[in-house]
């Protein structure tokens, strides 16, 4: 299948690209600034050639998102999966009394409205057999396990879980497999050095979910990277 991955330049994103390519899938790797050096993607491009397309994709720029979708459509490209991975973590450990609302606006624009923009414009290209939409969420978005702090990130991921649920209801008759996925606490720039999970391990689990289309046991489309149900 062909897989569109946002936020593909580093961290979990680039590991998703590598895992998908290794398994024989084509990848469109969306990055904000493809003109800047992308050493890991460059290595993958050298190894996999035309199976990897690195494309400009800023999820906050709706005109740009629409333009890329139109360009791929004109080329006759189709998609089997969309992975909305691009995200930011702002105002870490900031109390609500001193929270800068600009951090809320920025985070919602990237973490929630970004996936909405991508789905809005790329859904018409999602025409391959057994298509999927994977929204990379977080355990921080669980209302049941709410904690004080990380307000922008947590609230954006809670809302993203709702978006996944709505997409599932909307697209189930078309056979589109939709999940919000908690990728684990990963050893990335966002997760920090103390994080126990290798992002490549998480990426492997996520690609397996797409390939096997394993559904959650409950009614909510929120699972971890192994397919285990997460608390809403």
């Amino acid at each position: 299948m062909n897989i569109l991955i946002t936020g593909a330049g580093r961290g979990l994103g680039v590991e998703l690209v590598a895992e998908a390519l290794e398994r024989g899938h084509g990848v469109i790797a969306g990055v904000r600034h493809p003109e800047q050096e992308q050493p890991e993607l460059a290595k993958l491009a050298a190894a996999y050639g035309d199976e990897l397309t690195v494309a400009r994709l800023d999820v906050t720029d709706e005109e740009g998102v629409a333009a890329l979708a139109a360009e791929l459509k004109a080329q006759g490209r189709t998609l089997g999966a969309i992975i909305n991975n691009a995200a930011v973590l702002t105002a870490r450990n900031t109390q609500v009394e001193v929270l800068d609302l600009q951090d809320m606006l920025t985070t919602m624009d990237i973490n929630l409205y970004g996936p909405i923009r991508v789905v809005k414009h790329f859904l018409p290209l999602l025409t391959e057999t057994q298509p999927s939409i994977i929204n990379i969420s977080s355990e921080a978005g669980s209302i049941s396990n709410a904690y004080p702090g990380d307000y922008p990130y947590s609230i954006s991921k809670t809302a993203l879980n709702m978006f996944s649920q709505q997409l599932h209801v909307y697209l189930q008759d078309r056979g589109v497999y939709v999940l919000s996925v908690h990728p684990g606490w990963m050893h990335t720039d966002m997760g920090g050095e103390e994080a126990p999970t290798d992002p490549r391990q998480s990426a492997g689990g996520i690609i397996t979910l797409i390939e096997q289309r394993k559904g959650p046991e409950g009614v909510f489309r929120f699972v971890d990277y192994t397919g285990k149900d997460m608390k809403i």
Side-chain angles (χ1 to χ4, degrees):
M1 73 181 78
N2 293 304
I3 304 176
L4 172 69
I5 302 171
T6 70
R10 61 179 183 171
L12 176 62
V14 76
E15 298 297 344
L16 285 164
V17 173
E19 186 70 25
L21 289 168
E22 186 175 295
R23 298 196 192 191
H25 303 298
V27 175
I28 300 160
V31 296
R32 284 185 298 168
H33 302 294
E35 71 280 359
Q36 295 179 358
E37 186 177 6
Q38 309 279 343
E40 294 181 77
L41 287 178
K43 291 179 183 178
L44 291 170
Y48 291 96
D50 291 343
E51 293 302 306
L52 173 61
T53 300
V54 179
R56 182 184 303 278
L57 182 56
D58 180 346
V59 299
T60 67
D61 175 13
E62 184 161 4
E63 289 187 2
V65 173
L68 178 59
E71 178 183 347
L72 295 176
K73 183 178 181 180
Q75 295 171 359
R77 303 285 291 272
T78 59
L79 296 175
I82 295 168
I83 304 179
N84 282 308
N85 169 71
V88 292
L89 173 58
T90 63
R92 191 73 194 265
N93 299 321
T94 300
Q95 295 178 335
V96 68
E97 294 93 336
V98 294
L99 181 64
D100 186 341
L101 269 294
Q102 185 57 54
D103 286 330
M104 282 294 311
L105 294 172
T106 298
T107 301
M108 296 295 282
D109 197 22
I110 296 171
N111 295 8
L112 175 63
Y113 306 147
I116 292 174
R117 293 183 187 103
V118 169
V119 171
K120 173 183 175 181
H121 292 287
F122 283 93
L123 187 57
L125 278 69
L126 197 68
T127 58
E128 295 179 9
T129 303
Q130 295 186 321
S132 303
I133 297 173
I134 305 296
N135 294 321
I136 302 302
S137 185
S138 170
E139 62 183 354
S142 168
I143 296 174
S144 300
N145 295 324
Y147 61 93
D150 300 341
Y151 292 99
Y153 185 77
S154 296
I155 292 169
S156 70
K157 294 301 186 180
T158 302
L160 184 64
N161 291 345
M162 179 61 174
F163 180 52
S164 296
Q165 201 70 25
Q166 290 178 305
L167 284 177
H168 167 67
V169 174
Y170 176 53
L171 297 172
Q172 58 185 336
D173 289 343
R174 302 189 210 176
V176 180
Y177 173 73
V178 181
L179 288 178
S180 274
V181 179
H182 167 54
W185 181 20
M186 296 175 297
H187 189 80
T188 61
D189 290 344
M190 183 181 292
E193 296 183 357
E194 296 180 359
T197 304
D198 183 342
R200 185 57 179 271
Q201 177 184 356
S202 179
I206 292 166
I207 300 299
T208 295
L209 288 174
I210 293 172
E211 292 174 339
Q212 298 182 356
R213 295 170 66 87
K214 178 183 177 182
E217 294 182 4
V219 298
F220 298 114
R221 311 299 297 179
F222 184 29
V223 300
D224 69 11
Y225 68 92
T226 70
K228 180 181 177 181
D229 290 38
M230 294 289 295
K231 289 185 178 180
I232 287 294

